Amino acid sequence: MSAARHAFSISFMYHYEIHCMPSLPLRKRPIDIALIIFFCVNLFFITYIVDVEQLIIEDPNHFQYPIWPPSKLVNLVHWYGRNFDPLLMARPAWWRATIWIDALFFGPFYVFAIYAYAKGKNWIRLASIAWASVMLTNVSIILFEEVMGEHASPRLARVLLSNAAWVIFPLVVMYRMWQSHHPFSSTDPGNGSTVDH
């Protein structure tokens, strides 16, 4: 087989795998259901309530309540910070930088990811890997500060437990998306094996 024909065959098979393989119904992908719930929690609570509060209110000890988030949710964030997480209340510049990443990049990702994971769209694969990589990096830096930094938490076990989902779910996403070009399908035609969803 000539090099041109070989390249054409590879290109055709790649196109088939990405665009033509049917996805499993969502009800048969329980891990993806859990991921969608996690993305929804992030989109509708963490990113655009908890994070927005930290971007709008620079000093939680001297502030006026903003229009958004609602005052009760602002109080909830401050209660958690005062009782468990001094870093959240201190809000150093590098911390706010991670919040901006969340608001500007992760928020839109969650919108697309909720749709793509529900419908089994393979185009979300590379974006998912990128999201998981950046999220794990950010959380690792934050937890290092929580353990050993200037604003270390006096209730470390509680803070680690509160942040565990942002370690576990990115690792799950990385595994799900790394193992196949078509992670939502039942069979990998490259090796004929069944993919566990």
Side-chain angles (χ1 to χ4, degrees):
M1 179 183 294
S2 67
R5 289 179 62 189
H6 182 66
F8 174 80
S9 299
I10 293 175
S11 176
F12 176 81
M13 287 301 299
Y14 179 80
H15 179 275
Y16 174 81
E17 291 179 10
I18 296 298
H19 299 285
C20 301
M21 288 196 64
S23 298
L24 283 171
L26 182 59
R27 65 180 182 276
K28 294 185 178 181
R29 294 183 277 119
I31 292 177
D32 290 343
I33 293 174
L35 290 172
I36 290 171
I37 294 171
F38 177 73
F39 293 150
C40 286
V41 170
N42 276 273
L43 177 63
F44 296 112
F45 181 65
I46 300 299
T47 300
Y48 293 124
I49 293 180
V50 176
D51 287 354
V52 166
E53 183 277 328
Q54 294 172 73
L55 295 176
I56 293 176
I57 299 175
E58 184 174 350
D59 183 354
N61 296 311
H62 301 90
F63 71 95
Q64 292 183 340
Y65 285 101
I67 297 175
W68 184 265
S71 59
K72 289 184 178 180
L73 295 178
V74 171
N75 292 338
L76 177 63
V77 173
H78 292 181
W79 171 85
Y80 177 83
R82 290 192 177 97
N83 286 277
F84 305 107
D85 196 348
L87 177 59
L88 184 151
M89 301 300 285
R91 305 178 182 194
W94 66 265
W95 167 274
R96 294 198 304 274
T98 68
I99 301 300
W100 277 112
I101 292 172
D102 201 350
L104 295 178
F105 299 104
F106 291 170
F109 166 78
Y110 296 134
V111 173
F112 288 104
I114 290 167
Y115 170 80
Y117 279 67
K119 298 296 186 179
K121 301 297 184 180
N122 292 317
W123 48 257
I124 200 65
R125 176 177 174 267
L126 293 180
S128 295
I129 293 172
W131 167 81
S133 301
V134 178
M135 178 63 78
L136 287 170
T137 301
N138 285 351
V139 173
S140 296
I141 294 170
I142 290 169
L143 292 182
F144 191 87
E145 171 72 22
E146 298 280 12
V147 174
M148 302 181 63
E150 178 182 357
H151 306 291
S153 173
R155 307 285 295 276
L156 184 58
R158 176 65 178 268
V159 170
L160 293 178
L161 183 62
S162 298
N163 284 275
W166 285 268
V167 175
I168 295 170
F169 280 100
L171 288 174
V172 171
V173 167
M174 189 80 75
Y175 175 77
R176 283 279 289 111
M177 297 295 128
W178 195 268
Q179 64 179 344
S180 174
H181 287 295
H182 36 85
F184 303 108
S185 300
S186 60
T187 305
D188 186 338
N191 57 23
S193 62
T194 300
V195 179
D196 184 9
H197 296 279

